[in-house]
Amino acid sequence: MKNFVLILDFGSQFTHLIAKSVRFLKIKCEVVPYNISLQEVKKKSPAGIIFSGSPKSVLDKKAPICDKKVFDLGIPILGICYGMQLITYLLGGKVINGSKKEYGYVETEIIKDTELLSGLNSKDVIWMSHSDIVEKIPKGFESFAHTMSSPFVSMQNIDAKIYAVQFHPEVTHTEKGLKVFENFLFKICKIKSDWSTSWQTFIEKSIKSLKDKAGNKRVLLGLSGGVDSSVTAVLLHKAIGDRLIPIFVDTGLMRKNEVTEIIEAFEGYLKIKLYVVYAAEKFFHKLRGVIDPEEKRKIIGNLFIEIFEQEAQKFDDVEFLAQGTLYPDVIESSVSTKTSVTIKSHHNVGGLPEKMNLKVIEPLRELLKYEVRKIGKELKIPEKILNRHPFPGPGLAVRIIGEVTPEKVKLLQEIDAIFIDELIENNYYDKIWQAFAVLLPIQSVGVMGDNRTYENVCALRAVNSLDGMTADWSRIPYKILQKVSNRIINEVSGINRVVYDISSKPPSTIEWE
C-alpha cells in the first residue's frame, strides 16, 4: 500500500480544497473522477480514499455514484457531505430532503469520543452546505455528532473502515477541519507524512524541463499581471530567454495605474520584454449597451482571444502556448462536467491551442495557489505582484453593475484606489484576501453644503479566504471604513453614499457579478 490518498470527485466546488488539506499535511494525493473503475483503484493501491461533496442529490435519478465494491477493498474511506449521504444510500441507510437546510456556520454537538473527531469539541464551529440529510444510518454504523437540524453529522463503521462527516472539514471556516484530516490520515490510514518538495529544486527541474520541451521554438504567453501568469512568465524567461513572447492586453478595465505598474515591474525590474496591446476602445465598443453579467464575460473573453490571436500571428517559429494552469484547474477539467455546476464563466486562452495548432506548456499544473506564491518569492518576483489581491479576468466590467462605459470605469478606478490606498496606509491590506469597490446602478439623496444631491452609490467589499471557494466578510475597523467613506465622498465627484457588504460566501459570491 502506497503512502498516498485517492480523492473521488463527485463534482464539488471544494474538491481541490480537500487535495490542498492533504498536501498541506505533506501527503501525496490524486483527484480522480467518481466513476473510476475498481480495477484502476486497486492498481493505484491508495492508503485511503476520500469521497468529495457534490451539488447533486443522491435522490436524483442521475446522481453520481461510484462502484459499490470499493467498500469491500478494506481501504479506509472518508465521506464528506454528499460523500456521507452516498455511503448511507449505498449501504442501506436513509437519506431524505430535509425541511431545514444548513448553509454556512453551524455549531456541532459531539455526543461520543471518537478517533475521527479527536481534538474537536461540542460548540466548535463547522461549515455546512447541504439540503439533504441522513435520517437513518446504515446497519453496523454508529453516530457521534449532531446539530440542531441534522441528527447525524458524523458516523463510522470501524470494522469496515468507513467514516463520514456531513460538514466540510476542507474549508477554512470549519475551525478544526484540518484536525479531521490529520485523524483520518495519520491515525486511521496510518500514513506517514513523507511527501514534500523543495521549491528551489522545483524551479531547477522546471527550467530544465521547459528548455528541453521548447527547444529552439518560441512560446506565447497571455500575461495578466496576476500571480499565476507572472510566475509562469519568469520561469519561462529563465529557461528560454527572449524566445518567450508575453502578450499583455490592456482592456481598459484594469485598476488605476495597473497597466503602468505591470509594465514597469516586468520591463524594469524583471527585465522581461512585454508585447503590450492597447485595446480599450475595442472593449468599450463591444460592451456598449450590455448589462447582463454573463454576456459581459463572454464578450470580453471572445474579444481577448481574438486580439491575442491577431498579435500571435505576427511572430514566426511559435509552437507553444504557455498557461498558468494550477492544480485546481486540472481537477475541474478532469472530472465529468455532468456533476459540476457553473456559477459564472471566466475567460482564458484555452480555445487557442487547437485553433492555432499550438502545444500547451503548463509549468504550474501540479501546484496550488499558496505554493505558486512560494515559488514566486524564490524567483524574487516583486511582493506587489505576489501579494496582489485576486482580480477577475473581465476586470472592472463585473464590478460595474449595468452598462460599462469609460466614464464609469474611471469613476470606479478612483473609488477603488482610495479604498486600497487606505488599507495599505493603515497596514490592513495584507490582512485581507480580497478588497474592492463596486459601482451600483442606483442613486440616492444626499446633502453637500446647503445643496441637495442625487448621486451614485458605491459598495465596498472585503473578504477573508485562503482559496476563494468560501469566504467571510472582513471586520475592517470602523476608523478605516470611516476614513475611506469620507475620502470617496469628498474626492470622487458623483458619489454621495458608501455602503459596506457584510455577506459571506456561501450564500453570496465574492464578486457581485
Side-chain angles (χ1 to χ4, degrees):
M1 188 175 286
K2 300 175 183 176
N3 263 351
F4 97 102
V5 175
L6 207 59
I7 301 170
L8 269 57
D9 187 6
F10 292 88
S12 172
Q13 293 184 62
F14 302 149
T15 298
H16 82 270
L17 301 185
I18 300 174
K20 180 177 180 179
S21 298
V22 174
R23 287 170 65 154
F24 184 81
L25 296 172
K26 296 183 178 179
I27 296 171
K28 192 172 184 179
C29 64
E30 182 181 352
V31 177
V32 296
Y34 70 90
N35 53 0
I36 183 175
S37 70
L38 198 68
Q39 183 180 0
E40 192 65 21
V41 174
K42 290 179 181 178
K43 185 178 177 182
K44 292 179 181 292
S45 186
I49 298 174
I50 299 177
F51 289 5
S52 81
S54 175
K56 302 292 185 180
S57 166
V58 295
L59 304 174
D60 294 342
K61 289 182 179 179
K62 295 184 178 180
I65 294 177
C66 63
D67 191 325
K68 187 178 176 180
K69 291 179 181 177
V70 72
F71 299 121
D72 301 327
L73 297 177
I75 300 171
I77 292 173
L78 172 64
I80 295 174
C81 194
Y82 176 90
M84 174 169 167
Q85 295 163 8
L86 181 62
I87 291 169
T88 301
Y89 177 79
L90 291 177
L91 297 182
K94 187 175 181 181
V95 178
I96 63 170
N97 188 259
S99 57
K100 291 184 178 179
K101 300 170 174 53
E102 289 182 308
Y103 294 100
Y105 292 112
V106 180
E107 286 187 356
T108 185
E109 186 74 26
I110 297 175
I111 57 177
K112 181 180 178 181
D113 291 335
T114 177
E115 203 166 35
L116 183 64
L117 297 189
S118 176
L120 277 69
N121 303 305
S122 289
K123 306 302 180 185
D124 280 348
V125 170
I126 57 176
W127 189 268
M128 291 283 206
S129 183
H130 68 104
S131 55
D132 290 352
I133 63 171
V134 173
E135 186 180 59
K136 179 184 176 184
I137 60 177
K139 187 177 179 180
F141 281 76
E142 59 179 336
S143 174
F144 38 89
H146 64 83
T147 66
M148 291 287 290
S149 300
S150 295
F152 304 108
V153 170
S154 187
M155 66 180 192
Q156 66 182 21
N157 182 330
I158 295 176
D159 293 336
K161 300 181 182 178
I162 302 173
Y163 304 78
V165 292
Q166 181 60 69
F167 59 93
H168 286 274
E170 71 271 30
V171 304
T172 56
H173 304 302
T174 293
E175 288 180 336
K176 298 175 182 175
L178 194 63
K179 191 68 180 172
V180 175
F181 289 108
E182 287 179 356
N183 293 336
F184 177 70
L185 298 171
F186 299 145
K187 295 181 179 180
I188 295 169
C189 298
K190 311 295 184 186
I191 297 178
K192 294 180 181 179
S193 181
D194 62 357
W195 181 74
S196 61
T197 184
S198 158
W199 302 124
Q200 193 55 48
T201 300
F202 176 90
I203 290 170
E204 291 170 3
K205 286 183 177 178
S206 293
I207 291 172
K208 183 180 183 307
S209 175
L210 291 170
K211 279 181 180 178
D212 293 343
K213 188 168 186 178
N216 60 356
K217 300 296 182 181
R218 285 177 164 180
V219 178
L220 287 174
L221 170 67
L223 186 88
S224 68
V227 177
D228 306 337
S229 68
S230 297
V231 172
T232 301
V234 175
L235 275 175
L236 275 162
H237 192 258
K238 285 185 176 294
I240 63 173
D242 290 339
R243 281 183 286 116
L244 170 67
I245 310 296
I247 298 175
F248 175 50
V249 180
D250 175 12
T251 63
L253 303 168
M254 306 289 278
R255 289 169 283 204
K256 184 178 180 181
N257 299 328
E258 194 163 28
V259 173
T260 302
E261 289 172 0
I262 290 171
I263 293 172
E264 288 177 352
F266 276 85
E267 297 197 337
Y269 182 80
L270 295 171
K271 307 301 180 187
I272 299 175
K273 176 178 172 53
L274 295 186
Y275 296 84
V276 185
V277 184
Y278 296 97
E281 287 187 15
K282 291 182 179 180
F283 281 92
F284 285 125
H285 176 73
K286 287 280 189 179
L287 290 168
R288 190 175 298 160
V290 178
I291 60 173
D292 179 77
E294 273 299 285
E295 192 178 349
K296 287 182 194 176
R297 288 176 178 273
K298 288 174 182 175
I299 287 171
I300 293 167
N302 291 337
L303 182 55
F304 179 89
I305 288 175
E306 182 184 314
I307 291 171
F308 188 90
E309 184 182 14
Q310 290 172 355
E311 290 302 308
Q313 289 173 349
K314 297 177 181 178
F315 301 95
D316 297 323
D317 296 325
V318 175
E319 195 169 303
F320 299 92
L321 174 71
Q323 295 185 154
T325 307
L326 304 190
Y327 192 50
D329 305 318
V330 175
I331 293 172
E332 289 172 6
S333 62
S334 67
V335 301
S336 170
T337 56
K338 293 180 181 178
T339 61
S340 59
V341 174
T342 300
I343 304 300
K344 58 190 176 185
S345 61
H346 294 272
H347 82 270
N348 53 45
V349 291
L352 285 174
E354 297 82 7
K355 191 174 182 181
M356 299 172 62
N357 196 27
L358 297 176
K359 298 173 187 174
V360 176
I361 288 179
E362 297 171 321
L364 309 179
R365 66 179 282 112
E366 295 181 358
L367 303 178
L368 298 168
K369 179 74 78 173
Y370 79 96
E371 295 171 327
V372 174
R373 284 199 168 100
K374 287 182 178 180
I375 289 170
K377 195 169 184 180
E378 290 281 340
L379 292 169
K380 295 182 171 47
I381 294 175
E383 291 286 323
K384 193 163 187 178
I385 291 178
L386 290 182
N387 296 329
R388 192 180 76 158
H389 288 181
F391 191 61
L396 297 180
V398 292
R399 293 177 179 174
I400 295 171
I401 313 301
E403 184 184 10
V404 179
T405 65
E407 294 75 23
K408 288 181 180 178
V409 169
K410 190 173 187 307
L411 190 67
L412 184 55
Q413 285 176 333
E414 295 300 325
I415 296 166
D416 191 76
I418 289 173
F419 187 22
I420 300 304
D421 285 349
E422 285 299 326
L423 290 176
I424 294 171
E425 180 68 24
N426 288 276
N427 297 315
Y428 216 83
Y429 182 82
D430 291 333
K431 297 178 182 179
I432 296 173
W433 190 75
Q434 188 174 13
F436 58 91
V438 180
L439 186 61
L440 306 183
I442 56 175
Q443 293 182 310
S444 71
V445 176
V447 177
M448 291 184 176
D450 293 325
N451 296 319
R452 174 185 182 277
T453 62
Y454 192 61
E455 294 180 330
N456 296 296
V457 179
C458 72
L460 304 180
R461 177 76 158 142
V463 297
N464 288 331
S465 178
L466 287 178
D467 40 62
M469 301 307 296
T470 61
D472 194 18
W473 62 280
S474 300
R475 275 65 169 174
I476 298 176
Y478 293 153
K479 272 192 171 183
I480 300 176
L481 289 174
Q482 181 183 34
K483 182 74 179 295
V484 172
S485 177
N486 287 344
R487 280 196 60 193
I488 289 172
I489 291 172
N490 288 330
E491 297 176 26
V492 182
S493 178
I495 298 292
N496 71 353
R497 189 178 300 271
V498 177
V499 299
Y500 188 54
D501 183 348
I502 59 169
S503 48
S504 298
K505 176 186 179 180
S508 302
T509 53
I510 295 176
E511 298 287 346
W512 279 44
E513 287 193 342

